[in-house]
Amino acid sequence: MARLHMLPVLAAAALLGLPAMAQQRVSPHEQTSVTIDGKKITIEYGRPYMKGRKIFGGLVPLGEVWRAGADEATVLTTDADLTIGSLRVPKGSYALFVIPQANAWTLVVNKVAKQWGAFNYDQSKDLGRTPMKVTTSGSPIEQFTISLETAGPKRGVLKMAWERTVATADFSVD
């Protein structure tokens, strides 16, 4: 008889576990960081593979907000106030999204750092947006890669590369 009383509890526990199961990571995750002027800037993101798929204009639709990686939204954490392109970003943690186009991308900095993908993306929570420069890679880039590079005193470059597309945004430590 005691087992029958446990059935509703077990059923509820199983149902509560379903959302977590639906949000399991499917791609490897990585962290990239750079220290500029003594301040650390870090990006955490999922790194999907092409696996023979058409990426931009296929798997990733053009003109729509994309999480810039796989699984959770990509997260930027900065110990310094930054200027990315023309966008001022106070120190803290933010979600990074992009809106890819054929020849130009827009970087979106959203104030809700922890969220799953772009499924609940809310434009009203954006800190702001800034253009990214887009170039073409000479050879295919199988795995989505984000890098942060030093570009001089108090300056750096955020780079996102996948398929044959390389998108960059200059930033500075304020």
Side-chain angles (χ1 to χ4, degrees):
M1 202 57 136
R3 288 185 188 178
L4 290 177
H5 294 305
M6 290 300 293
L7 192 56
V9 172
L10 292 173
L15 288 174
L16 291 173
L18 286 178
M21 289 174 60
Q23 294 184 352
Q24 289 180 350
R25 290 179 169 180
V26 295
S27 295
H29 282 245
E30 191 163 311
Q31 187 179 90
T32 184
S33 64
V34 67
T35 300
I36 298 176
D37 198 34
K39 304 294 184 181
K40 188 172 183 179
I41 302 143
T42 303
I43 295 178
E44 297 178 55
Y45 68 107
R47 297 192 65 202
Y49 288 89
M50 278 194 331
K51 297 181 183 175
R53 301 174 290 187
K54 166 115 181 90
I55 302 302
F56 299 109
L59 178 67
V60 177
L62 298 178
E64 295 182 20
V65 172
W66 175 53
R67 70 182 115 192
D71 308 321
E72 300 101 309
T74 295
V75 176
L76 164 72
T77 301
T78 174
D79 292 341
D81 294 343
L82 302 176
T83 300
I84 305 173
S86 59
L87 178 63
R88 307 254 320 149
V89 179
K91 68 180 177 179
S93 292
Y94 303 90
L96 292 183
F97 297 99
V98 293
I99 303 171
Q101 296 286 358
N103 298 313
W105 283 21
T106 301
L107 179 68
V108 179
V109 180
N110 187 274
K111 294 181 266 186
V112 182
K114 299 292 183 183
Q115 51 185 305
W116 187 259
F119 299 105
N120 294 315
Y121 166 76
D122 181 351
Q123 185 175 350
S124 72
K125 304 285 187 204
D126 285 354
L127 180 69
R129 298 175 175 205
T130 192
M132 297 182 80
K133 298 173 201 146
V134 175
T135 58
T136 302
S137 169
S139 58
I141 302 158
E142 173 65 24
Q143 190 177 18
F144 178 66
T145 303
I146 297 177
S147 60
L148 293 166
E149 303 168 2
T150 303
K154 295 191 171 202
R155 296 180 349 170
V157 176
L158 163 62
K159 183 190 305 185
M160 298 182 181
W162 202 16
E163 198 174 34
R164 290 188 180 268
T165 302
V166 179
T168 61
D170 295 334
F171 68 88
S172 61
V173 173
D174 299 339

